[in-house]
Amino acid sequence: MTPRTAETSAPVLDTIAERWSPRSFVADHALPEGALRGALEAARWAPSASNTQPWRFIVARRGSESYEKIRENLMGFNQAWAGSASALIVNIAETVTAEGDERPWAVYDLGQAVAHFAVQAHSEGLYVHQMGGFDRDGIRAAFDLPERLQPISVAAVGQLADPEQLPEPLREREVAPRQRIELDELVIRND
């Protein structure tokens, strides 16, 4: 397997250019104790509005009851591949404080924390695939989450496997060329 390094229009850190979101994970890979600590620590140190750190995580390793609860709440074809990941992580935004104050930037801040997590995990040899296709109410009920804690995404984490293990059309998507919208299309104004 070769890295799928992005062709960028300007130099970026190698870890960023090499990071991508596979669906093919080594199904018998178990994360060693402490393997996610560095990635979670990177998430901890992500920037947030007024340093509120409005993110929470449910970390579930394959074989645990929590892992099965998360896997059962994945939707569509995510169930077809995500069960081979070493861990599933529910990314949660604390949109309202325990005192009832709204946190309007919580989802944005969670996104930064998850991005830091993904880059650090990749630098440590793990791959992360983030998903929006899951039953939020099912996750909320499975983990008895209060209304102020909003499940936003789920991340599959593990070791990269050969894409041949995936069924079509997932295999085709796994090896397709990486594409992004051109930078000039993303920047509305650059004075």
Side-chain angles (χ1 to χ4, degrees):
M1 289 173 284
T2 59
R4 299 182 62 199
T5 304
E7 293 183 25
T8 61
S9 63
V12 298
L13 298 171
D14 289 347
T15 302
I16 292 173
E18 294 168 0
R19 188 222 55 83
W20 63 287
S21 302
R23 292 175 185 85
S24 184
F25 291 100
V26 176
D28 62 355
H29 175 258
L31 290 169
E33 187 64 35
L36 295 177
R37 189 163 183 87
L40 289 166
E41 187 69 12
R44 176 178 169 237
W45 284 97
S48 63
S50 299
N51 195 28
T52 55
Q53 304 158 48
W55 47 74
R56 303 294 181 268
F57 304 102
I58 296 171
V59 179
R61 287 162 187 79
R62 191 184 325 98
S64 70
E65 181 182 337
S66 294
Y67 187 98
E68 283 308 307
K69 287 179 180 181
I70 298 168
R71 193 190 61 73
E72 289 169 2
N73 282 288
L74 296 177
M75 297 170 68
F77 68 90
N78 287 338
Q79 279 195 347
W81 62 267
S84 62
S86 302
L88 295 173
I89 300 173
V90 179
N91 304 305
I92 300 166
E94 184 183 39
T95 58
V96 177
T97 67
E99 296 77 28
D101 298 324
E102 289 194 27
R103 290 189 160 159
W105 298 280
V107 174
Y108 174 83
D109 289 345
L110 170 66
Q112 290 200 83
V114 174
H116 280 64
F117 175 95
V119 170
Q120 181 67 32
H122 189 80
S123 76
E124 295 178 11
L126 296 171
Y127 285 81
V128 178
H129 186 113
Q130 299 175 49
M131 300 169 270
F134 68 99
D135 181 347
R136 282 159 180 70
D137 292 334
I139 290 290
R140 177 180 304 292
F143 294 98
D144 196 27
L145 296 175
E147 191 65 31
R148 65 190 186 85
L149 297 180
Q150 299 291 320
I152 302 298
S153 63
V154 173
V157 182
Q159 267 189 345
L160 184 63
D162 190 319
E164 292 301 314
Q165 74 179 23
L166 293 171
E168 287 295 344
L170 294 178
R171 183 179 325 129
E172 182 180 328
R173 291 175 73 178
E174 193 80 350
V175 298
R178 294 180 65 193
Q179 296 178 336
R180 288 288 190 270
I181 296 171
E182 293 296 326
L183 185 58
D184 291 342
E185 293 179 52
L186 296 174
V187 179
I188 295 172
R189 174 164 280 166
N190 188 7
D191 292 337

